[in-house]
Amino acid sequence: EKPEQVRTGPREGVLIHGLFLDGAAWSRNETSLVESEPKKLFCALPLIMVTAVTKGAKRSMAGDYGPYGAYECPCYKYTKRTDKYIIFHVSLASREQRPVHWSLRGTALVCATE
C-alpha cells in the first residue's frame, strides 16, 4: 500500500514509510527480500507495521517468513552504520536465500540515503 491510501492506523503498533533497503531489494509479488538491480544502491520499502511481540509469539511466526526463517535486518538512522545510529531490527522474509546471505551482503534499512 501507499501511505496516501491508508485511512486509519492499526489497533496496535504504528505504520512506517520512508525506509530504504541497502544491499537488497523488496519483491512485492514474493513479499520477500531479493537481489537488488545492478548499480541500484537503495530500494524503497513499502509500508511496514511495527509492533511488539513476545518471544513465544515470534517463535510461532517463524514459518511465515519462508523456509529459512526471517532475516533480522538492522535499521539505521543514517547510511553510516555504527551502534550510535542503530534504531531497531526488523524481521524480513527471506524465501529464496538463507538469512546469512543477507548478513554477508550487509543488507540493512536506512532512514536517510544521504
Side-chain angles (χ1 to χ4, degrees), residues 9 17 28 73 75 81 94 101:
H17 72 95
R28 288 180 186 251
C73 187
C75 180
R81 299 181 192 183
S94 177
H101 173 80

Side-chain angles (χ1 to χ4, degrees), residues 40-60:
K40 188 170 180 184
L41 295 178
F42 300 103
C43 173
L45 197 67
L47 275 175
I48 59 171
M49 187 180 95
V50 178
T51 186
V53 294
T54 63
K55 287 182 181 181
K58 190 171 183 174
R59 272 187 239 115
S60 69

Side-chain angles (χ1 to χ4, degrees), residues 17-36:
H17 72 95
L19 296 179
F20 298 90
L21 271 167
D22 183 7
W26 184 258
S27 170
R28 288 180 186 251
N29 296 337
E30 299 175 26
T31 60
S32 175
L33 288 171
V34 294
E35 297 292 336
S36 58

Side-chain angles (χ1 to χ4, degrees), residues 22 42 75-82 84-87 108-114:
D22 183 7
F42 300 103
C75 180
Y76 294 94
K77 190 171 183 179
Y78 305 111
T79 54
K80 186 174 183 179
R81 299 181 192 183
T82 65
K84 184 178 177 181
Y85 299 122
I86 193 161
I87 302 171
L109 289 170
V110 292
C111 297
T113 57
E114 290 125 20

